[in-house]
Amino acid sequence: MDEVDRIVAAWRRERPDLDVSPLEVLSRVSRLARHLDRARRAAFAVHDLEPWEFDVLSALRRAGEPYHLSPGQLVTQTLVTSGTMTNRIDRLVADGHVERHRDPSDRRGVLVRLTARGRQVVDAAMTDLLHEERRLLAGIKPGDAARLASLLRTLVQPFDA
């Protein structure tokens, strides 16, 4: 038994009229998310990054050469408002992780480009993050992890659409 089993059992005892079965899945997802958040923060702290900084830098890194995106593309990938993204870009520029450049295909547009320093930091943080995530998944077999990933994809897809 784990803590979620105890919570579910207590609810079933106290409210037998309710189907509390969603708690068996989603409470565990929620608890795992908290553990993942702690692991992410620890992995990023080694590199003096906040999770939001990693999110922006990793979006730029995944874009491939020349590692640039428009602020609007960054907003879409990180699910924040444009005002929030502007502040985040400002901070990343001040830290030397990104630079702003004019978009050659749109004179009014701006591109945010990963600097060599930003690339080095995000690559190192990604390596540490994957180490932490493997540690979190160590209790399940690779085939089970693949099935879990598939089930979670099915669960998350409607929200991402």
Side-chain angles (χ1 to χ4, degrees):
M1 282 197 48
D2 66 2
E3 188 61 26
V4 173
D5 288 326
R6 287 186 277 283
I7 291 167
V8 168
W11 276 116
R12 284 187 174 137
R13 182 189 68 241
E14 295 300 315
R15 291 291 311 270
D17 58 309
L18 293 179
D19 174 13
V20 295
S21 61
L23 293 175
E24 294 181 276
V25 173
L26 298 176
S27 291
R28 286 185 176 94
V29 168
S30 177
R31 294 172 74 81
L32 180 59
R34 283 187 228 129
H35 289 291
L36 176 58
D37 184 58
R38 286 186 198 130
R40 285 174 54 104
R41 288 180 181 281
F44 301 153
V46 171
H47 305 283
D48 295 321
L49 289 178
E50 293 292 328
W52 67 263
E53 291 172 302
F54 177 82
D55 290 345
V56 174
L57 296 176
S58 66
L60 292 166
R61 180 65 169 99
R62 291 189 313 268
E65 284 278 357
Y67 308 114
H68 68 238
L69 294 169
S70 71
Q73 290 170 310
L74 289 169
V75 163
T76 299
Q77 290 194 29
T78 60
L79 301 174
V80 298
T81 66
S82 60
T84 297
M85 183 53 65
T86 298
N87 290 332
R88 289 180 176 187
I89 293 168
D90 288 345
R91 288 187 54 189
L92 290 168
V93 167
D95 290 341
H97 292 130
V98 302
E99 301 169 333
R100 284 186 176 96
H101 294 277
R102 292 233 177 261
D103 185 343
S105 64
D106 177 1
R107 292 184 344 195
R108 296 175 297 155
V110 172
L111 294 173
V112 180
R113 182 177 302 144
L114 193 62
T115 64
R117 178 178 178 203
R119 182 176 170 188
Q120 180 182 8
V121 167
V122 74
D123 282 354
M126 183 64 177
T127 298
D128 289 350
L129 172 62
L130 290 172
H131 173 77
E132 289 297 316
E133 289 185 352
R134 279 188 196 90
R135 184 183 58 78
L136 288 172
L137 293 172
I140 61 175
K141 298 175 191 164
D144 290 340
R147 281 189 291 286
L148 179 58
S150 178
L151 290 168
L152 290 171
R153 181 182 307 108
T154 300
L155 185 63
V156 170
Q157 269 180 337
F159 298 101
D160 286 348

